[in-house]
């Protein structure tokens, strides 16, 4: 089945733009970029493009990769207190000298547009309906909904357990009735889980990790992350091998970008309403 994700995202942007125009005066999204890897640079440029398109002021603080943790924490404190900053987004991953969790958990949870703060992640786990969900796990669920996949009773393997995709995704899947296995770098024989699974979701940043022999002929494969090496994009799943044979749903050209960033802009609207409460 071919679904035009770009069109779906495009329709979302038009609705968001209209709502912002009607309901809001001035909204600003403060992004902080520390690690200049190609994927992060691409993400940030897409976020700028679409934020500006829907009418949100996008500001970028581009910091040095050698910055110490304290300096970054001080920046967060500054933006938390800045009345002109509606939302804060720290592009991940951060360089290894910085504890990401400490940084994310210092963001005022009401300004946390990614919905990564521990307090916000608890709400996802406990199924509290604020309407806000981290945008990458959300598009995975949206794709399954568009495909009319009933998650009740399905076996789903999620490959890996990151705080920004794997863990919130597991929470969403469990809450949707799926039986969920979450693998990590210590998991032995991942193929024993993937082979039995109805759905395999790769989110490992590990090119070529999932191969055709690791799944069955009915498995739906969704690949979340890509890695850019020498300007070429590599996926966790062996895209050509699997797509030419069976059920690779993503990547599709434009699909991942389109829905991730569109969901972020949608979060902006929902978070704006929460901030008003
Ligand atoms: N790095 C990869 N995906 C994301 C995301 O959704 N938000 C942030 N802040 N960093 C990311």
């Amino acid at each position: 089945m071919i679904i035009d994700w770009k069109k779906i995202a495009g329709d979302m942007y038009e609705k968001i733009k209209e709502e912002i125009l009607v309901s809001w005066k001035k909204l600003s999204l403060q992004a902080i970029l520390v690690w200049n890897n190609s994927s992060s640079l691409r993400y940030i440029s897409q976020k700028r493009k679409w934020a500006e398109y829907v009418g949100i002021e996008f500001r970028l603080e581009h910091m040095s990769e050698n910055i110490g943790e304290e300096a970054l924490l001080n920046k967060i404190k500054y933006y938390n207190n800045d009345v002109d900053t509606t939302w804060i987004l720290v592009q991940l991953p951060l360089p290894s000298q910085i504890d990401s969790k400490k940084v994310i958990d210092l963001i005022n949870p009401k300004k946390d547009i990614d919905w990564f703060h521990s307090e916000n992640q608890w709400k996802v786990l406990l199924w509290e309906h604020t309407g806000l969900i981290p945008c990458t796990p959300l598009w995975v669920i949206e794709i399954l909904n568009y495909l009319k996949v009933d998650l009740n009773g399905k076996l789903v393997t999620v490959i890996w357990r990151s705080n920004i995709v794997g863990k919130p995704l597991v929470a969403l899947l469990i809450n949707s009735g799926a039986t969920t296995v979450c693998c990590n770098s210590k998991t032995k024989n991942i193929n024993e889980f993937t082979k039995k699974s109805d759905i395999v979701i790769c989110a490992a940043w590990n090119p070529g990790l999932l191969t055709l022999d690791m799944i069955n002929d009915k498995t739906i494969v969704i690949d979340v992350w890509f890695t850019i090496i020498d300007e070429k994009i590599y996926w966790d799943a062996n895209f050509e091998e699997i797509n030419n044979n069976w059920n690779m749903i993503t990547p599709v050209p434009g699909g991942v970008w389109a829905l991730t960033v569109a969901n972020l802009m949608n979060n902006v609207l929902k978070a704006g309403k929460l901030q008003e409460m």
Side-chain angles (χ1 to χ4, degrees):
M1 184 192 320
I2 295 176
I3 297 179
D4 188 348
W5 304 114
K6 264 193 171 166
K7 161 124 187 26
I8 292 169
D11 293 346
M12 278 168 77
Y13 287 129
E14 294 311 322
K15 271 171 89 177
I16 297 166
K17 189 176 176 176
E18 205 179 297
E19 201 168 328
I20 287 179
L21 203 66
V22 173
S23 318
W24 304 90
K25 284 201 179 73
K26 186 167 175 279
L27 302 175
S28 67
L29 172 51
Q30 179 65 53
I32 302 177
L33 175 66
V34 183
W35 193 16
N36 292 317
N37 66 63
S38 316
S39 308
S40 292
L41 288 167
R42 274 204 194 194
Y43 262 116
I44 285 288
S45 73
Q46 288 294 309
K47 287 170 186 174
R48 175 189 290 285
K49 174 178 164 185
W50 291 110
E52 289 175 349
Y53 181 78
V54 298
I56 298 163
E57 184 191 353
F58 185 91
R59 295 193 237 126
L60 177 64
E61 173 107 36
H62 201 152
M63 304 185 86
S64 153
E65 285 189 3
N66 303 321
I67 193 178
E69 188 177 276
E70 204 52 39
L72 182 53
L73 293 173
N74 284 334
K75 278 283 170 212
I76 303 286
K77 283 183 201 156
Y78 173 82
Y79 291 122
N80 276 344
N81 293 322
D82 178 25
V83 287
D84 290 330
T85 302
T86 328
W87 298 287
I88 304 168
L89 175 156
V90 178
Q91 187 63 31
L92 300 174
L94 290 169
S96 56
Q97 75 273 16
I98 298 173
D99 179 347
S100 309
K101 186 160 185 329
K102 214 163 156 184
V103 171
I104 298 299
D105 278 349
L106 190 66
I107 298 174
N108 174 347
K110 286 191 168 180
K111 290 193 175 188
D112 166 33
I113 197 57
D114 277 313
W115 220 240
F116 288 166
H117 190 287
S118 308
E119 213 177 271
N120 293 333
Q121 296 260 21
W122 267 111
K123 292 182 180 148
V124 177
L125 180 63
L126 299 178
W127 209 224
E128 281 185 27
H129 287 279
T130 58
L132 277 135
I133 290 174
C135 46
T136 304
L138 177 57
W139 75 244
V140 173
I141 298 294
E142 283 174 341
I143 282 177
L144 292 167
N145 287 340
Y146 279 118
L147 295 171
K148 303 205 180 338
V149 176
D150 178 7
L151 283 164
N152 283 299
K154 294 285 188 306
L155 179 61
V156 185
T157 297
V158 177
I159 312 179
W160 303 143
R161 59 174 169 183
S162 70
N163 286 345
I164 65 173
V165 181
K167 287 182 199 166
L169 188 52
V170 167
L172 293 172
L173 290 164
I174 292 171
N175 289 335
S176 303
T179 303
T180 310
V181 175
C182 186
C183 299
N184 62 63
S185 58
K186 311 279 186 313
T187 306
K188 295 193 186 100
N189 305 327
I190 288 178
N191 59 322
E192 284 177 14
F193 301 105
T194 53
K195 194 101 194 162
K196 282 190 271 189
S197 292
D198 300 294
I199 302 162
V200 174
I201 302 165
C202 302
W205 262 321
N206 190 344
L209 173 80
L210 189 79
T211 47
L212 190 62
D213 57 315
M214 291 169 73
I215 55 175
N216 67 61
D217 62 354
K218 298 208 170 51
T219 310
I220 294 173
V221 178
I222 296 181
D223 197 338
V224 172
W225 288 140
F226 59 83
T227 310
I228 301 177
I229 305 169
D230 294 334
E231 296 304 308
K232 195 167 180 290
I233 291 181
Y234 295 88
W235 298 88
D236 286 354
N238 185 326
F239 176 45
E240 276 149 27
E241 191 184 85
I242 296 175
N243 197 42
N244 288 337
N245 291 274
W246 295 327
N247 282 321
M248 189 95 183
I249 300 304
T250 71
V252 289
V256 175
W257 288 117
L259 283 189
T260 303
V261 181
N263 279 337
L264 185 75
M265 298 308 143
N266 227 353
N267 270 2
V268 166
L269 273 189
K270 293 178 193 162
K273 284 174 192 151
L274 280 188
Q275 271 190 14
E276 285 198 322
M277 288 174 171

